[in-house]
Structure formats: C-alpha cells, structure tokens
Amino acid sequence: MTDEQPVPVGLSTASVWPLKAGTAFELAAELGYDGVEVMVWADPVSQDVTALRRLSRRTGVPVLSVHSPSLLITQRIWSPDPAVRLRMSVDAALELGARTVVVHPPFRWQRRYGDSFGDLVTELEASSGIEIAVENMFKVRPPGGAKNSRVSAFRPSIDPTDVGFRHYTLDLSHTAAAEMDALALAQRMGEGLTHVHLADGTGVPKDEHLVPGRGGQPCAELLEKLVSSGFAGQIVLEINTRHAVTAAQRVRDLAEALLFARFHLGQ
C-alpha cells in the first residue's frame, strides 16, 4: 500500500480544436480525465474565467492548468503586452483553482519583456503560489529559407534550461520538431519538471502533436521514468484531433491517448 496520490492526467482544450473549450470539459468528463488545461486563445470561453468556472462545476472537471496566450495568433488576447497577459493568466489560475500556468519563452522581438521575463516569473510565483512552468520550443523554417534552414524565434533559445527557471513544461511534440533528446531535456529540467505536454512526433520540423505511441518520441519511457523518480507534477494530453473525420474518431483518439498515459504511469 502507498499513500502517494496518482499523477493527474488532464486534457488540453487545444486537443479538441476547432471545437470550443466546453467540448473539452465534456469529453474529459465522459472519458475519465482528471481535469483540463485551458488554452487561452480565440475561443471566447477560454478567455472568460466565469464561463470556465461554470463549465468546471457543471461537468465536475477541475482546471489543472492555464496555458497563457503565448502563441503568435494570441498576441492580442487580453492585452498586447505579454507581461500583462502572463499576469492575467496567473490571476485566472488562482480564480479557477489551477496549480500551474504554462508559458512560452519570450519571442526574440519582445525585448523589454525578454529582459524582465525571469524576474517577472519569479515575482509572480512568489506572490501567487502558482507554478509558472516555462515550455521548451522548436526552431522553424524562415519564409523563403532553404529547405534545411531553421531559426529560433525565442529568446535566448528554444531550451528554457539555458536560462534556468524554477518550473518547466516538457512538450514532447516540441522535442520531436526540434530533434532534441526528450529524456536528456527532462534530466536537465530535474526537479523543476512539474508539467508534461504528452504528445508524439515523427521528427519533421513542425508541431504535430500526435497521439502518444504514433511517433518516435520516448513517451512511454518518459512516463515510466517519471513514476520511478516520484514525479509529483501533472500530465496533460495536448494532441491534434483537427483532422478527425467524425466525432467518434476524435473520441477514440482522446481515449487512446488517456489509456496510453494511464498504462505507462502504472494506473
């Protein structure tokens, strides 16, 4: 017998795109996920804390984490100032009872934000008690660039351990696109690894977010290593179902992803 609580397995609302956040809550409840991660983006519900709280109560599905609007397409959501967006994400997490805020490193052109990012993260964690888990990213092909050319849009790099933060998010679709060793990155993150975006990739230079087990990432090995090391963080399935032809296919993919995670977590 053990008193240790099982690692919670959540569903990102991004996993049902182009459907809305409400669908993610409903499917998480139906399939037996432990909670959701709210990706804050164009979906108005994802930006509305009151609406999210209502969804959580109606479905019985807690919000485990909030993904700050860090994508290129979300640069105007809540505020054009990335520091304000991060502060609002922390406020949303507090109001929703979430433990974690996921955030990307600053873009290279966000000089003022980049200069203050580390101090801002430290300040917000200290004042709120929320874990701000900085996510690993990947390089992209520049417009008109050579086939094999790749550049980083992030400052100072795609690897947050180059700077050093208290908490990290490890995204396995991103490690695939970056051709990074996911297990080595997890080791560098060490005890700071508190959040995992579980997905897969084949190694092509784009963000595939495949169902785990359908690509080449060490998804199973990572989960098993986390359990053996006493991981006390959260696992969130962030997979791409936008090509699902039917609702039933989307449900099957989300169910398969959850089964994979639970099996390799020993649940």
Side-chain angles (χ1 to χ4, degrees):
M1 297 291 290
T2 178
D3 293 330
E4 291 184 2
Q5 295 297 312
V7 176
V9 181
L11 176 66
S12 171
T13 59
S15 297
V16 303
W17 189 85
L19 303 181
K20 306 299 185 184
T23 301
F25 278 87
E26 291 163 1
L27 289 176
E30 176 184 339
L31 295 171
Y33 279 85
D34 297 314
V36 301
E37 174 172 300
V38 174
M39 170 70 83
V40 181
W41 56 6
D43 174 9
V45 173
S46 74
Q47 306 169 32
D48 186 334
V49 172
T50 300
L52 292 167
R53 188 187 301 113
R54 190 180 302 119
L55 275 171
S56 179
R57 289 173 177 170
R58 179 169 62 80
T59 59
V61 175
V63 177
L64 302 178
S65 48
V66 173
H67 196 310
S68 179
S70 306
L71 303 172
L72 277 174
I73 62 172
T74 60
Q75 294 299 292
R76 294 286 172 177
I77 289 175
W78 281 346
S79 169
D81 185 335
V84 172
R85 292 198 300 272
L86 182 53
R87 289 184 183 276
M88 292 182 68
S89 299
V90 171
D91 289 343
L94 284 169
E95 291 190 51
L96 293 167
R99 164 181 166 177
T100 305
V101 166
V102 176
V103 65
H104 294 176
F107 287 114
R108 294 177 67 177
W109 54 84
Q110 295 172 324
R111 295 191 177 184
R112 184 188 306 173
Y113 178 55
D115 288 342
S116 63
F117 181 69
D119 290 338
L120 177 62
V121 168
T122 299
E123 172 210 323
L124 290 173
E125 287 193 319
S127 63
S128 69
I130 298 294
E131 297 173 353
I132 301 178
V134 185
E135 187 171 5
N136 61 293
M137 302 305 293
F138 57 97
K139 294 181 179 181
V140 297
R141 180 180 175 184
K147 183 177 181 179
N148 294 322
S149 64
R150 299 289 180 269
V151 297
S152 171
F154 300 95
R155 180 182 180 189
S157 77
I158 60 174
D159 182 350
T161 67
D162 287 344
V163 175
F165 296 94
R166 187 176 178 189
H167 298 106
Y168 298 102
T169 296
L170 174 59
D171 186 305
L172 282 92
S173 178
H174 294 179
T175 55
E179 298 184 318
M180 295 177 71
D181 184 327
L183 298 178
L185 179 56
Q187 187 171 11
R188 291 197 299 278
M189 290 177 170
E191 293 183 358
L193 174 53
T194 56
H195 203 74
V196 174
H197 279 167
L198 185 61
D200 215 331
T202 61
V204 297
K206 65 179 182 178
D207 204 6
E208 296 177 285
H209 283 285
L210 304 178
V211 172
R214 297 185 185 177
Q217 289 298 287
C219 298
E221 188 176 354
L222 174 70
L223 294 178
E224 291 161 7
K225 283 182 177 293
L226 290 176
V227 171
S228 66
S229 66
F231 178 71
Q234 300 171 321
I235 307 295
V236 168
L237 273 300
E238 191 182 65
I239 64 171
N240 177 1
T241 65
R242 69 178 180 270
H243 298 303
V245 177
T246 64
Q249 182 181 342
R250 174 176 286 106
V251 170
R252 285 195 298 271
D253 285 348
L254 296 178
E256 179 184 332
L258 177 60
L259 179 62
F260 182 100
R262 293 218 186 279
F263 179 81
H264 291 289
L265 288 168
Q267 299 176 5

